[in-house]
Amino acid sequence: MESEKKSPISDVGAWAMNVISSVGIIMANKQLMSNNGYAFSFASSLTGFHFAVTALVGLVSNATGYSASKHVPMWELIWFSLVANMSITGMNFSLMLNSVGFYQISKLSMIPVVCVMEWILHNKHYSREVKMSVVVVVIGVGVCTVTDVKVNLKGFICACLAVLSTSLQQISIGSLQKKYSIGSFELLSKTAPIQALFLLILGPFVDYYLSGKLITNYKMSSGAILCIILSCSLAVFCNVSQYLCIGRFSAVSFQVLGHMKTVCVLTLGWLLFDSELTFKNIMGMIIAVLGMVIYSWAVEAEKQSNPKTLPHHAKNSMTEEEIRLLKDGLEKIPLKDVELGEAEG
């Protein structure tokens, strides 16, 4: 796949795939890992299975010619995989060491952290309307998810590492795609084997530290195997759609609209698992959805008011001829009149 063709329909399809697969995998994992289900308490190893299956799909895709492998330096792939796996491990440790309330707060903090990191790394600026809509989303999701908030030093350090590594990973997905003119699935197929290798080797030790149980001692049942297969299948769509969404939009947009999954999970938990849905939850979800609507409007308004910004539906890469023409044009323009920017996500 070359850089993905972008259209409103395909954009909606990418978001729909991410929301449906993410919510589906949460429901499957809830059944697999809960004590009322199959009590498979090995989250890091399960994530290793996810990436192993994703890597296998990528290998088959390349072998059949559906996708073409492009060159990305190995050191960048290893660096990205280490950051991504630090995100996964950090989140697991944060959930174990902190209360659920503080864990939710740390996840909410990713939106402002991504904004600051994009400003530092890519000199990206946001309009007042976008900033206000982000605040509304954070407040809404906070109201419907945050309950008790307890924290300790180890948990705080793990949460900080998790937030920073997750934010950096999501920003890196988009920047690597643009830097090497590589499609989302091609990038995923290159990083998935490395992530799988790290997680399958180190995951069982992390799980033992978290749960005090060895995966080798787990008695596998046919139901647990089916849940693992379902979880791995959904993980392929979830991973692919995440790379698609960040490649098409931005890490901030992915974080903001990604909270729609939180609303869906709460609603499905109430419908399927008899979870309690209070007035506070409902009000928080309404505020969060309102913030997402405002965010979408603010981003679109920002694009309309800044015509010099590259169109959202522009290609991710330029041909050598286009680069040569651009350089020739820039040589004839005084330096003070040149504005450098990047496509809005």
Side-chain angles (χ1 to χ4, degrees), residues 17 54 184-185 188 235-245:
M17 184 194 299
T54 303
S184 53
F185 185 74
L188 178 60
V236 174
F237 290 100
C238 186
N239 289 330
V240 171
S241 60
Q242 179 185 2
Y243 280 56
L244 274 172
C245 289

Side-chain angles (χ1 to χ4, degrees), residues 32-239:
L32 176 65
M33 304 182 77
S34 67
N35 290 328
N36 295 329
Y38 297 102
F40 185 87
S41 55
F42 309 100
S44 298
S45 298
L46 180 62
T47 307
F49 299 158
H50 290 168
F51 281 106
V53 174
T54 303
L56 180 61
V57 171
L59 183 64
V60 172
S61 178
N62 288 334
T64 56
Y66 177 72
S67 58
S69 179
K70 289 188 176 181
H71 175 71
V72 179
M74 181 57 69
W75 72 268
E76 290 215 52
L77 295 176
I78 294 176
W79 172 85
F80 174 84
S81 299
L82 286 173
V83 171
N85 285 347
M86 187 184 298
S87 162
I88 295 167
T89 306
M91 282 297 179
N92 286 340
F93 274 100
S94 176
L95 184 58
M96 180 193 76
L97 296 172
N98 299 313
S99 66
V100 175
F102 186 79
Y103 175 75
Q104 290 293 346
I105 288 177
S106 67
K107 288 181 68 177
L108 288 174
S109 69
M110 278 186 226
I111 298 179
V113 169
V114 167
C115 290
V116 172
M117 290 183 75
E118 286 201 320
W119 171 63
I120 294 172
L121 298 175
H122 299 158
N123 196 31
K124 188 170 183 178
H125 298 275
Y126 300 92
S127 67
R128 183 179 60 182
E129 291 79 10
V130 169
K131 293 174 184 176
M132 288 177 61
S133 64
V134 165
V135 171
V136 174
V137 172
V138 170
I139 291 174
V141 177
V143 167
C144 67
T145 61
V146 176
T147 52
D148 62 311
V149 179
K150 296 178 183 177
V151 64
N152 55 72
L153 181 60
K154 286 184 179 179
F156 180 76
I157 293 173
C158 286
C160 289
L161 289 174
V163 169
L164 290 173
S165 57
T166 302
S167 302
L168 183 58
Q169 178 224 3
Q170 293 185 353
I171 292 172
S172 299
I173 290 173
S175 61
L176 284 175
Q177 285 183 243
K178 293 173 184 175
K179 184 177 180 180
Y180 295 104
S181 301
I182 186 171
S184 53
F185 185 74
E186 285 75 20
L187 178 60
L188 178 60
S189 65
K190 284 182 173 294
T191 57
I194 303 173
Q195 287 186 255
L197 182 64
F198 282 133
L199 287 169
L200 291 176
I201 293 175
L202 300 177
F205 298 100
V206 175
D207 290 330
Y208 178 74
Y209 180 81
L210 291 173
S211 65
K213 301 176 184 177
L214 288 172
I215 191 171
T216 51
N217 294 335
Y218 180 76
K219 294 182 179 179
M220 197 71 70
S221 65
S222 57
I225 292 173
L226 288 174
C227 272
I228 290 173
I229 293 173
L230 176 60
S231 180
C232 289
S233 301
L234 289 168
V236 174
F237 290 100
C238 186
N239 289 330

Side-chain angles (χ1 to χ4, degrees), residues 1-7 11 70 172-187 243-250 310-320 322-323 326 341-345:
M1 279 186 240
E2 297 297 329
S3 56
E4 287 86 355
K5 295 180 180 179
K6 299 181 181 181
S7 69
D11 288 348
K70 289 188 176 181
S172 299
I173 290 173
S175 61
L176 284 175
Q177 285 183 243
K178 293 173 184 175
K179 184 177 180 180
Y180 295 104
S181 301
I182 186 171
S184 53
F185 185 74
E186 285 75 20
L187 178 60
Y243 280 56
L244 274 172
C245 289
I246 295 177
R248 289 168 178 272
F249 308 102
S250 71
L310 286 174
H312 169 68
H313 297 293
K315 295 183 294 183
N316 280 341
S317 60
M318 294 184 290
T319 63
E320 292 183 5
E322 289 171 326
I323 294 173
L326 179 61
E342 60 181 7
E344 292 295 330

